[in-house]
Amino acid sequence: AVLAPDARHAYDHLPNETMIRGQSVPIEYDVQDSMGIVRLRLPAKMARSLTEAEIPELDRPVRFTVVRGQQSAIHADTLDELQDLLAEPWEPTIERQKHHKHHKHGKHQKHQKRRRRR
């Protein structure tokens, strides 16, 4: 979809980060259920102890994402939901297990076999 120049200018000037506890937190813009939302991409340590009062007031509903290295990302619509999910023990997702299995026994291993034959 092509945006009118005025609309494009407004979107280009949306902030791409905010400050929480003196730390820069990336802001991602998305659409959820036909409504524009903001996702705050928080470090896990900050997310565990964040309070509602610390969440910046923005022009659209705020959602949350926490990326935790090798673990799958956590997405939540509310701070309470995010903190409940962070409190749960980590278990690998099925997709991650499939990817790991493919990488271990799939293409990578085939290339090793080819090299041995030469």
Side-chain angles (χ1 to χ4, degrees):
V2 178
L3 292 174
D6 291 343
R8 168 57 69 190
H9 180 75
Y11 286 118
D12 285 344
H13 287 85
L14 289 171
N16 59 4
E17 64 182 18
T18 188
M19 297 297 284
I20 299 176
R21 296 182 183 168
Q23 189 173 346
S24 177
V25 173
I27 297 175
E28 299 171 350
Y29 296 87
D30 203 353
V31 176
Q32 182 179 19
D33 299 325
S34 302
M35 177 176 60
I37 63 164
V38 171
R39 283 195 188 282
L40 297 180
R41 194 174 178 104
L42 300 166
K45 186 174 182 177
M46 179 188 291
R48 282 186 172 86
S49 60
L50 194 66
T51 65
E52 291 287 341
E54 294 175 291
I55 298 170
E57 194 167 315
L58 300 166
D59 67 342
R60 56 199 80 200
V62 176
R63 304 295 187 253
F64 304 93
T65 298
V66 172
V67 178
R68 306 179 299 169
Q70 297 294 319
Q71 301 175 12
S72 57
I74 293 177
H75 303 282
D77 291 344
T78 67
L79 185 56
D80 286 338
E81 179 186 4
L82 178 67
Q83 291 171 341
D84 287 347
L85 290 169
L86 285 168
E88 291 179 5
W90 177 74
E91 291 183 22
T93 62
I94 293 170
E95 293 85 18
R96 186 171 302 277
Q97 288 173 344
K98 285 180 185 175
H99 173 72
H100 179 69
K101 187 176 181 179
H102 171 73
H103 182 70
K104 187 175 178 183
H105 301 292
K107 202 178 225 183
H108 181 70
Q109 194 174 36
K110 287 179 188 174
H111 289 296
Q112 283 182 342
K113 285 180 186 176
R114 253 190 244 147
R115 281 190 219 135
R116 281 188 233 144
R117 287 182 193 159
R118 291 181 183 169

